[in-house]
Amino acid sequence: MEEQETADQELENYLVSFKNFNLLRSWANIQFLETLDDLEIRDSDIFIITYPKSGTIWTQQIVNLIVFDEHRNGTENVDNMERVLWIEYSTASKDFGQRPSPRVFSSHLPYYLMPKALRNKKGKVIYVYRNPKDTMTSFYHFAKILGYIKPEVTMENFMERFLAGNVASGLWFDHVRGWFTHEHDFNLLFMSYEEMKKDLRNAVLKISKFLGKKLTDEEVESVVKQATFQNMINDSRANYNRIKDDIIQKQVFLRKGIIGDWKNALTVAQNEKFDKIFQEKMEQQLQRGVGKWSP
């Protein structure tokens, strides 16, 4: 009982709920979120939406390399965390209206908290999803490094929280299922982390086509090269090192960037339990191919 109370207090210390959605208390901009429904959306706006630890920073780099010639050519030294406007978190000033087009936004928010105009197919949304077992494994390490969970919290403990939605951004199943079942409300492209890892060049072509940005073969190759995991780690514009320095002296936003790391973290029993819950909660999405992860 005492252990449960400690865990509940820990959650309360780092999470805040807004309209039944969990946010990181220390970074959340609730005052801005109260006005988000009426945010003016431009046709050229691009929204990168993910559940945490699903390739968010990677997709930001890909989109910025496609959209901004100066970013791709290296003629302008601007961090992605300055180029990309985080909606719910205060990583930069909220000068949305002053930003020139095209604006690139990033968010972990669910479909129902999106601005009204975006839900009426204005602007473009790229939704990236990832094998939830890899997502959970990455999330576990991320939360430990940032101190959101205590060092003694095991993967078993964290898996219970993850499967109950007692983490930032709530339940993975609700997030992914919500976007899939409301895709017709948005001008939306679904991408899986796994397909991006398998064939980055094809992913770049698919995203650039969706954004209406024509690239030469040479430009495509430049995007692919600069968007590899190793190059991003060493690219100060893309690796979020500035926010790392503010929080903790350790690389936390780009850890491994691989497929299947959950196999190093979950037991056979944990894997079977997770798969059973996945089958129950994602029945409709399984018919769409969600769940056909790489081995």
Side-chain angles (χ1 to χ4, degrees):
M1 183 68 177
E2 185 179 338
E3 185 179 331
Q4 182 60 45
E5 287 177 0
T6 302
D8 290 345
Q9 185 61 49
E10 196 176 72
L11 288 172
E12 190 176 322
N13 287 342
Y14 87 90
L15 293 180
V16 59
S17 180
F18 176 76
K19 297 185 178 179
N20 297 316
F21 184 74
N22 292 337
L23 296 152
L24 288 173
R25 183 180 294 276
S26 57
W27 292 354
N29 191 328
I30 300 298
Q31 186 176 3
F32 177 77
L33 288 176
E34 295 283 4
T35 67
L36 184 59
D37 196 50
D38 296 322
L39 180 69
E40 185 179 347
I41 301 297
R42 304 171 190 169
D43 289 328
S44 58
D45 285 343
I46 302 163
F47 284 74
I48 299 166
I49 309 294
T50 57
Y51 186 88
K53 312 313 295 176
S54 299
T56 313
I57 293 173
W58 186 26
T59 309
Q60 288 176 6
Q61 173 74 336
I62 293 170
V63 169
N64 284 338
L65 288 167
I66 290 172
V67 172
F68 301 107
D69 296 343
E70 60 273 23
H71 187 71
R72 184 174 61 253
N73 299 332
T75 56
E76 187 175 86
N77 188 24
V78 178
D79 289 358
N80 283 348
M81 61 182 293
E82 289 295 334
R83 261 189 212 287
V84 178
L85 299 162
W86 270 98
I87 296 176
E88 66 267 33
Y89 293 126
S90 302
T91 57
S93 60
K94 301 290 183 185
D95 57 345
F96 293 171
Q98 303 300 315
R99 288 294 184 103
S101 297
R103 299 180 299 183
V104 180
F105 295 87
S106 197
S107 178
H108 297 317
L109 292 176
Y111 75 93
Y112 64 85
L113 290 181
M114 286 292 108
K116 191 185 304 177
L118 192 67
R119 298 197 303 268
N120 290 324
K121 297 193 174 182
K122 199 168 186 182
K124 294 180 178 177
V125 177
I126 300 170
Y127 187 91
V128 180
Y129 61 98
R130 183 184 188 184
N131 183 332
K133 288 184 280 193
D134 274 336
T135 298
M136 180 180 68
T137 301
S138 182
F139 209 157
Y140 172 66
H141 291 289
F142 179 77
K144 267 202 164 183
I145 290 171
L146 288 185
Y148 293 135
I149 57 175
K150 294 180 179 178
E152 61 268 23
V153 173
T154 64
M155 175 57 82
E156 177 71 27
N157 300 144
F158 189 77
M159 180 170 156
E160 289 177 11
R161 297 184 188 185
F162 186 85
L163 292 175
N166 292 328
V167 292
S169 296
L171 194 60
W172 182 92
F173 303 104
D174 287 348
H175 201 283
V176 175
R177 191 171 52 211
W179 278 96
F180 266 93
T181 55
H182 290 83
E183 64 177 305
H184 298 300
D185 297 337
F186 301 88
N187 184 5
L188 192 153
L189 172 69
F190 283 113
M191 299 288 295
S192 82
Y193 184 95
E194 288 72 24
E195 71 176 300
M196 292 164 68
K197 288 292 291 185
K198 278 182 177 178
D199 192 342
L200 181 53
R201 189 178 192 279
N202 186 58
V204 168
L205 291 172
K206 190 179 289 189
I207 292 171
S208 60
K209 181 180 180 181
F210 176 68
L211 297 179
K213 178 77 173 182
K214 291 184 179 179
L215 299 176
T216 65
D217 288 343
E218 185 179 355
E219 288 170 337
V220 169
E221 293 309 317
S222 177
V223 173
V224 171
K225 182 179 179 181
Q226 293 183 70
T228 61
F229 185 80
Q230 194 56 48
N231 282 337
M232 282 186 61
I233 284 179
N234 299 317
D235 187 343
S236 61
R237 302 172 306 164
N239 58 23
Y240 271 55
N241 268 10
R242 181 153 62 82
I243 202 168
K244 176 202 75 174
D245 291 340
D246 290 343
I247 298 172
I248 193 168
Q249 296 300 316
K250 188 171 183 180
Q251 178 55 265
V252 61
F253 288 95
L254 298 171
R255 193 177 66 93
K256 286 187 177 181
I258 62 174
I259 296 172
D261 193 38
W262 65 267
K263 296 175 185 177
N264 300 315
L266 301 186
T267 66
V268 172
Q270 288 168 348
N271 179 47
E272 289 176 351
K273 177 181 177 180
F274 201 111
D275 283 347
K276 184 175 184 294
I277 293 172
F278 184 94
Q279 294 286 332
E280 291 170 355
K281 291 187 176 288
M282 302 296 286
E283 184 178 356
Q284 269 191 314
Q285 285 66 48
L286 282 166
Q287 297 170 15
R288 292 277 306 276
V290 177
K292 295 181 180 176
W293 318 114
S294 300

